[in-house]
Amino acid sequence: MSNFDDIIKNLQQELRKGTLVLAVLSQLFEKHYGYSLVETLNKHGLQIDQNTLYPLLRRLDKQGLLEATWDVSETRPRKYYKLSELGIRVYNELKNTYYNSHTVIENMMKEVE
Amino acid sequence: MKLLERYLLQIERYLPRKDKAEVSDELRSLFLDQLEDYDDTDQTKEDRLKDMIIEFGSPLQVAMKYRNDKPIILRELEPFLFMVFKIISISVPSALLFVTALGVYSDNIDVSTGFLVLELLKAIPSIFMALVTALGIVFLIFAGLSRALDPNKIEDDFHPDYLPPIPVDVYKVSMFEAIIGTAGGLVFLYVFNYQPGLIAVYYDNVREPLLNSNFDKILPFLNVSVSLTMLLQGYYLFKQSKSKLTITFEAVLQVFSGIILILLSQADIFNDIIINGFNIEIIPTLFKIGMIVGAVAAFIGAIVKIVKVFLAKEKR
């Protein structure tokens, strides 16, 4: 892989990393289990490695942003995630930050186009 | 789905104990959900699972995504560290035992087997110290390497076909017991072999040892028992699991310890000057009772252990 491709790949990863939490939180107003969340994100065009999503969910859960419960009533136990009250507040803050940044960056980029 | 369990077991190896079961359950659920969703008729579920595992990454890579802590030893270097540990654990004691035996023979060619065994037993604490030092130095070298190396540049070859099989009959290890066992043994070996007479009554700048030479006769047996216990507990710390074989060894050791306790109860190991001087005859009597009770408990414990292992269901 060329140096250019390397740089682009790394920067794209960094750019994505910052917004990934927001994307995941946005989908967890509804209760989801891991695989259904992957499907939902995929449906919206966000491809995410499952081995990235699961540790992320676990981290968010540990931070208290999610409420995780095991549902054992189905044929197989599944862990469901949903935004906690703290998660909703954090999501709203992050969303505002994202919109502000988006506007600022968009304006800057428009100026040089 | 044995392949999935083999994969999950390897991931668990790199996870903190408190996270093992939970992460494993989550990942199992994810894989089974995906497999259930699978409708490609050209591929068997086993092959699909294999592809999913390859896509998911090596157990080490997966586990590292769950860990935020920075390990002292890079996970990628752990297998090499353990390999070096194994080599040292075998070679250092063997070499030192050989050198000790050679030393005994070079001093006197007509050496009886009993004398040689006794000399080798006496050497156990020194061998243990040498082993700990060697392992410590290797650990420090690997810790230094872990700081210097870039983890992203270390190759991590992985293919599901090479996942180790699920070990049969794996039993839980109490980390507390393993740490206390190892540390306690170390303290024992140090105090009784390197500081003889430390346990004493001190008065008017005089130190009168509490134990007499009868104790020294039993000490080599105690050293063997403590050293083997420490080796076993060290092994548990490293493997984090017990097997039927190690539990059997544990039970045999326990019986051996019980016999030593009986020896201690029968031998007059207290210094008469202290016992008579302070008029504390009750101490040897209590000690004798304590040793006998301990020995009986050790024998019963060993029997219970064996019965539980060979009759109880497999657990992990």
Side-chain angles (χ1 to χ4, degrees):
Chain A
M1 200 185 280
S2 70
N3 192 30
F4 175 80
D5 290 338
D6 274 345
I7 293 169
I8 288 294
K9 197 183 161 197
N10 284 339
L11 290 177
Q12 278 175 340
Q13 269 177 359
E14 274 179 40
L15 204 59
R16 238 170 81 92
K17 211 185 277 178
T19 51
L20 200 58
V21 173
L22 192 57
V24 168
L25 290 179
S26 74
Q27 297 308 302
L28 286 174
F29 278 89
E30 296 287 323
K31 203 165 83 163
H32 275 289
Y33 58 91
Y35 187 55
S36 74
L37 183 60
V38 174
E39 296 275 88
T40 310
L41 292 171
N42 279 347
K43 219 181 289 170
H44 284 89
L46 183 74
Q47 298 291 329
I48 179 167
D49 285 341
Q50 299 192 32
N51 61 6
T52 303
L53 178 66
Y54 270 73
L56 174 64
L57 286 173
R58 196 168 171 77
R59 201 166 64 241
L60 295 174
D61 181 23
K62 276 188 177 171
Q63 287 172 341
L65 305 189
L66 304 180
E67 281 167 4
T69 46
W70 278 98
D71 185 346
V72 289
S73 62
E74 295 173 50
T75 49
R76 206 178 37 252
R78 276 184 178 136
K79 196 174 186 181
Y80 281 86
Y81 297 93
K82 195 173 188 283
L83 279 184
S84 65
E85 268 185 42
L86 176 66
I88 293 171
R89 276 168 43 211
V90 168
Y91 167 72
N92 286 330
E93 275 298 314
L94 279 181
K95 186 179 70 178
N96 291 337
T97 310
Y98 174 78
Y99 281 141
N100 288 340
S101 306
H102 181 259
T103 312
V104 170
I105 294 167
E106 193 178 31
N107 287 341
M108 286 196 293
M109 288 194 297
K110 271 182 185 163
E111 267 180 34
V112 292
E113 271 169 10
Chain B
M1 289 298 118
K2 270 195 178 164
L3 179 66
L4 178 58
E5 294 308 319
R6 283 163 57 200
Y7 181 57
L8 294 177
L9 193 64
Q10 289 308 306
I11 295 174
E12 280 184 28
R13 280 187 55 216
Y14 299 106
L15 291 172
R17 285 171 74 84
K18 59 181 170 54
D19 293 337
K20 283 179 197 278
E22 182 88 5
V23 170
S24 204
D25 287 345
E26 278 174 22
L27 293 176
R28 185 180 295 105
S29 167
L30 165 77
F31 276 98
L32 295 178
D33 277 334
Q34 261 187 291
L35 275 178
E36 200 175 74
D37 205 32
Y38 150 81
D39 56 1
D40 186 347
T41 48
D42 293 339
Q43 210 180 17
T44 63
K45 281 205 172 185
E46 195 70 15
D47 287 342
R48 174 72 194 125
L49 177 64
K50 217 176 267 186
D51 286 349
M52 278 163 55
I53 288 175
I54 292 170
E55 210 175 295
F56 215 74
S58 75
L60 180 67
Q61 285 170 342
V62 176
M64 287 313 288
K65 296 220 175 191
Y66 280 92
R67 299 192 68 143
N68 298 322
D69 54 339
K70 196 174 178 211
I72 298 172
I73 305 293
L74 280 178
R75 305 287 161 205
E76 292 85 346
L77 291 180
E78 273 184 5
F80 302 106
L81 175 68
F82 290 139
M83 190 177 70
V84 177
F85 270 7
K86 277 180 192 168
I87 293 170
I88 289 178
S89 304
I90 294 167
S91 59
V92 169
S94 312
L96 289 176
L97 280 173
F98 179 71
V99 169
T100 309
L102 213 60
V104 172
Y105 275 113
S106 66
D107 288 345
N108 185 1
I109 295 176
D110 297 326
V111 175
S112 69
T113 313
F115 181 73
L116 177 66
V117 171
L118 204 65
E119 288 301 305
L120 291 178
L121 291 179
K122 276 185 195 164
I124 285 178
S126 317
I127 292 172
F128 184 77
M129 292 296 172
L131 185 61
V132 169
T133 310
L135 294 177
I137 291 170
V138 169
F139 184 84
L140 287 177
I141 291 171
F142 271 80
L145 276 176
S146 300
R147 295 266 168 267
L149 288 174
D150 179 358
N152 297 321
K153 292 201 172 146
I154 300 173
E155 293 272 327
D156 181 18
D157 288 336
F158 164 71
H159 194 279
D161 287 344
Y162 303 125
L163 282 168
I166 298 169
V168 282
D169 297 342
V170 180
Y171 298 87
K172 272 185 186 170
V173 165
S174 156
M175 294 307 276
F176 178 76
E177 193 186 314
I179 291 167
I180 293 294
T182 315
L186 197 63
V187 171
F188 176 89
L189 290 177
Y190 178 75
V191 168
F192 286 102
N193 292 280
Y194 283 86
Q195 302 289 338
L198 183 73
I199 298 176
V201 172
Y202 299 81
Y203 60 95
D204 294 341
N205 290 331
V206 175
R207 186 173 72 169
E208 193 62 52
L210 183 65
L211 306 171
N212 61 27
S213 60
N214 286 343
F215 177 77
D216 296 338
K217 289 177 189 161
I218 300 174
L219 187 58
F221 298 104
L222 276 167
N223 282 341
V224 173
S225 171
V226 171
S227 301
L228 289 176
T229 306
M230 284 172 69
L231 275 179
L232 184 68
Q233 298 298 348
Y235 175 78
Y236 285 158
L237 278 174
F238 162 58
K239 286 291 278 187
Q240 298 201 1
S241 65
K242 295 180 179 184
S243 65
K244 276 186 178 170
L245 184 70
T246 60
I247 292 179
T248 308
F249 181 58
E250 217 177 287
V252 171
L253 255 181
Q254 217 163 316
V255 172
F256 181 57
S257 306
I259 293 169
I260 296 174
L261 292 183
I262 288 179
L263 276 177
L264 281 169
S265 74
Q266 297 309 308
D268 183 16
I269 63 163
F270 289 97
N271 188 341
D272 287 340
I273 299 171
I274 293 176
I275 300 300
N276 297 330
F278 287 90
N279 201 17
I280 46 172
E281 284 84 5
I282 185 79
I283 298 287
T285 312
L286 286 177
F287 179 78
K288 190 177 271 191
I289 294 168
M291 291 297 105
I292 291 172
V293 169
V296 172
F299 294 143
I300 294 173
I303 294 167
V304 169
K305 207 167 266 179
I306 292 292
V307 169
K308 262 169 87 178
V309 165
F310 288 96
L311 295 184
K313 278 184 171 179
E314 182 184 324
K315 57 182 177 179
R316 192 162 60 77

